[in-house]
Amino acid sequence: MFPGLRDKGAAYLQAIADANNFSLDQIQVIGKRVASVTADDLKHKKVNLLMGEPFYYGGEGMLPWQNLRFWNARTLLDPMLSKDVLIVPRKGVLKLCAMSLPDLWRSRCSIKDLEGFDHSVVNETLGACGDLPGEQQGPCLPYYVWQCGHTKKLSKVYSLMDFNFFEPIHSCFGKTKIEFADAGTCHGFALWIDWVLDEKNSTVLSTGPDSRYWKQGVQLLSKPVEVNPADSAVHVEASFDPASGDLTFSSLFS
């Protein structure tokens, strides 16, 4: 399969064959997209192992949950999976933490009047997040948090939602209460997915801010909020729509 890779995918399979000392003629490459695979392609055999690296060529600038394309592909293959199929990764866990991001927040502030001209019409096009009027909330945008200037985690990491790949893709909802570990100015939240590879949760691939290899989703607040561990908390909710692949996010400080 290898959508978008082709020659690189073939070279990858050759490397696997060489590393495991077996002939490449023991591997059958199905040159179709998942949606086009039929039982005939599998010689009417059930699949007992489904593996995939949930990162897609050309998707480096995507939000983390847009890599749930893997879950959608698994769902399309559902009629061909055996009852005891082993799926790797087993699930994805949506994680988040509260962040101080002063440099990023200033760089994404909305534009208002410049030299007497109203430029607010471009805010939606440019993805403005900070200092928006009223109750408006800017979009969640993909960033390497480590490249966002001065940053500081203000809370521990929380789990917000699980995506179980042993089930066909479906809508998901999660909520949690974030308590702050440090005082400071909260400018928003970093969100990412941890990919759990095994049943015991002993092998987990994290794509959080501590890694420099993956982008996180950053949801900036319209107005920064001063917080402290003694009396600050924030309730967050998120829902995933499988039809669009979008994640909606909301927060309420108390």
Side-chain angles (χ1 to χ4, degrees), residues 53-118:
E53 182 177 348
F55 300 100
Y56 289 86
Y57 183 73
E60 295 83 358
M62 296 193 304
L63 290 162
W65 41 91
Q66 290 173 323
N67 279 309
L68 291 173
R69 173 179 170 182
F70 170 77
W71 196 9
N72 186 61
R74 170 257 179 267
T75 301
L76 293 172
L77 292 172
D78 192 62
M80 297 168 232
L81 303 180
S82 66
K83 292 182 179 180
D84 58 349
V85 63
L86 176 62
I87 299 176
V88 181
R90 297 180 61 85
K91 67 177 179 179
V93 182
L94 183 65
K95 301 274 189 173
L96 83 161
C97 65
M99 300 285 299
S100 176
L101 301 159
D103 297 326
L104 179 62
W105 190 87
R106 283 194 295 269
S107 73
R108 304 304 303 187
C109 272
S110 62
I111 300 174
K112 298 178 182 177
D113 290 336
L114 293 175
E115 299 294 334
F117 293 94
D118 180 8

Side-chain angles (χ1 to χ4, degrees), residues 12-151:
Y12 173 68
L13 288 178
Q14 182 65 63
I16 291 176
D18 293 343
N20 290 276
N21 298 314
F22 62 81
S23 172
L24 195 60
D25 60 14
Q26 294 177 266
I27 300 176
Q28 178 187 357
V29 178
I30 301 173
K32 295 182 177 181
R33 294 187 175 274
V34 173
S36 302
V37 174
T38 66
D40 290 338
D41 296 314
L42 303 177
K43 299 179 181 178
H44 296 275
K45 294 180 180 179
K46 291 291 186 178
V47 175
N48 57 19
L49 173 62
L50 177 63
M51 297 181 65
E53 182 177 348
F55 300 100
Y56 289 86
Y57 183 73
E60 295 83 358
M62 296 193 304
L63 290 162
W65 41 91
Q66 290 173 323
N67 279 309
L68 291 173
R69 173 179 170 182
F70 170 77
W71 196 9
N72 186 61
R74 170 257 179 267
T75 301
L76 293 172
L77 292 172
D78 192 62
M80 297 168 232
L81 303 180
S82 66
K83 292 182 179 180
D84 58 349
V85 63
L86 176 62
I87 299 176
V88 181
R90 297 180 61 85
K91 67 177 179 179
V93 182
L94 183 65
K95 301 274 189 173
L96 83 161
C97 65
M99 300 285 299
S100 176
L101 301 159
D103 297 326
L104 179 62
W105 190 87
R106 283 194 295 269
S107 73
R108 304 304 303 187
C109 272
S110 62
I111 300 174
K112 298 178 182 177
D113 290 336
L114 293 175
E115 299 294 334
F117 293 94
D118 180 8
H119 286 68
S120 60
V121 69
V122 304
N123 286 328
E124 183 176 352
T125 303
L126 297 178
C129 302
D131 202 24
L132 293 173
E135 298 298 319
Q136 290 185 36
Q137 177 176 281
C140 192
L141 299 171
Y143 284 103
Y144 293 107
V145 168
W146 69 273
Q147 291 183 337
C148 293
H150 176 72
T151 66

